[in-house]
Amino acid sequence: MATSTYPREDIPQKDKNEDWMRRHLSYAESVLVYNNDLRDRMNRWFDGYNGIKPAASIAWLEKSYGQQNKSRYISYRLGRTKIDLLQGEWLKRPLQATVTTINREAMSEKMRNYDTMMGAQIAKEEITEIKDKAGVDIMEGAPIPSGDDDPIWQKMSFKDKCEDVMQIILDNQVKDLDVKRKLGQAFINVEISARCYWKTERNETGDIEAHNIDPRDGIYEEIEGDDYLEKSPIMGCRQALSVHEILKRYTLTKDQRDLLNNARGNPDVYTGINGIGRGYMNIVGGELLCDVIHIEWKSVTPEYYKIVPKTASQLMLDPSEDTLTFQLDVDKYEANIEMHNKNVEAGLYVIETKYKEEEYEATRIGGVIDVNMRRTFFQKRGVDNPGYILSSSYYGYIHGRVSGVSVPLQQIIENFDNIYDICMYQILKEFARMKGRILTIDRAGLGKGQKLEDVAYRMLNDQLLDYDSAEASRVGTRNVDLANMFKQFDLGLSDSFQYLLQMKQDIRNELNQITGINENRMGQTAASSTATAQQSDISNSRTITESLFYGFSGFVQRVMLGIVQSSAVSWAFYKLEKGEQILGSEKFKFLQVTQDIGYRDYGVYIEDGSRYLEVSQKIEQMMQVSLNAKEIRPMDALNVLLAETVSQKRAFLENSWAEMQKIMQASQESGQQSAEMMNQQKMQTQIEIANADREDRQAAKLQEIDAQADADIRVNQSIIKGDIVKQNFKSSSEAINNQEIQ
């Protein structure tokens, strides 16, 4: 625990003076001092991530028998790739926050809008008729949705105007404040130190700044079970600022400005632990840098209630309660507290004390200048719970804490990192040694007056070397033997070299196994691996690290909610002139007319990153299948790939499917119409052919009839002519016969 005692909060309001606030600053300083051991460990973890090793830790390795080895020690940062890989995965996930109103009044209003729009949808014809005939617009200009799929219905059913405005403001703030990049830095802090810290700053003019705070500079109390630091009695941070930045941010008196100037000119007096600045002032590059400590804490303000027994006549009027309650003025009560205590002891009435949360802040510059010791200038309270403050500036997260101890990823990695660097150093030492074949010459075999250079020259140029063994024997020296005089050695790699290479790979494999972050996760699967094995490896790898992503998602959600709460205050009461440019004329007029957004309670929903990756991959697989089946167009596939959220991907894919279905249906209908037209034309042709054939047959029949008639006529004429001839012959015969008779 801290060396200083945390000040008491339930004291009378009149006693909450500057001295009381300074004690909070002193407590904050003691928190920084107490956590020095933790900060030393975090320094080691951050240095390890950057490949910085203490000189004393590698001195034994770089020297042999007191002399420097030829090979240099190099830090390969084996674990940094693991940490950067996870950060890259987080950055690829969308940062989409959906704003909702959560206080009861706002939710009731949304339900009223829901019921109104549902009724209007049912009675749309009647409402339109009344508007057209009577000129009365029951909906007051609001459009009526045509069905459940109408975008107007989706918007008006579940979103009110405050949510629409706040959603636009939040999306704008995320871009302006560069929130995603800063949250990416915070994610690295979690991997390295198991901690991250954040500050959403809103100044007196309503300007908002977002800061990713180094966890080594955070001021908070770690309470077991409070992973998001929501129970810490005090929150703050330390920032190193130049005098120029200090003068821009804070309003200082002349004496305070002179003190900073004197510190710049007399660093020996002010800087260092023993200086006036107590180590919170330092000269860097000729400029004075001061540690600026800013803190916020939640105090309580008492509210006094006087409870008086009812008289007999009052009980007759209202027998439901036997007492009356009156709220007392705080200043008057505390000024006459002794009198009230006597009356309470006499039994005249009872004093009940309730506490309402208040937020205070204070700033200490360079350990010697205290400024802005006050209640925060605008405190946003919960609508449903007005006793609680919603506008805190600081947010934090401690990952994986068990029994008060958290083990970051970097701490798991650092031992493997060190062993790997040592192994690589030994490999480099092997390469730095002499290599190849060498020739040794025994000087005892040299003739009188011969020099080593002469022998080497003759051997190289003449390939001839003469020697006199008799002379050597006469002078008493040993017999000269060229096999002993000249020897050759092969200075190859040591037997341990192969083991060092294998050890290097074993270290990498073991690190992959322990951290769960392997090459398969990076898409570097061996060609011999099956697709099923690859998917299994990637799934197992991501499952191991999922708790880290899940916990950090809760931190992101709280940060985004803090930005929403601070922005609601800023835009409702400070930044009205900025609204029209970003919100548009219609929403800007709404913001001018009502300041409701500043008094609403908001919730923020963050899309689950792991779920996003899983569903997004499956959507893209379905997109490929649909693209190959010509169920969607290439432009639709491009829209799916460019979408930032799963809902957008799904919407694009569904829309493209629907469009292609319409096109296919239209094509089928067109084909059917064409087929029907062809059938009709064919039938018409057949009818025409049949009619033409019938007419031909009829004409032939008529011709046959005519021919038959002509033949019959001719026959009849012949018969008639024959009969006439016959009759004439008969008549002639009879006449002749008659003449003969006569």
Side-chain angles (χ1 to χ4, degrees), residues 712-725:
D712 292 341
I713 291 172
R714 292 191 188 97
V715 170
N716 291 331
Q717 288 178 349
S718 299
I719 293 173
I720 292 173
K721 186 180 289 185
D723 289 342
I724 292 173
V725 172

Side-chain angles (χ1 to χ4, degrees), residues 498-540:
Q498 295 297 329
Y499 296 103
L500 288 173
L501 293 178
Q502 183 60 41
M503 183 183 298
K504 181 190 72 170
Q505 188 59 42
D506 290 344
I507 294 171
R508 298 174 66 95
N509 294 337
E510 190 69 18
L511 181 60
N512 292 342
Q513 185 70 22
I514 290 179
T515 61
I517 309 171
N518 51 48
E519 285 76 5
N520 294 337
R521 186 167 186 150
M522 294 182 280
Q524 298 176 355
T525 307
S528 59
S529 299
T530 63
T532 303
Q534 177 184 0
Q535 293 298 326
S536 178
D537 290 341
I538 294 174
S539 178
N540 294 336

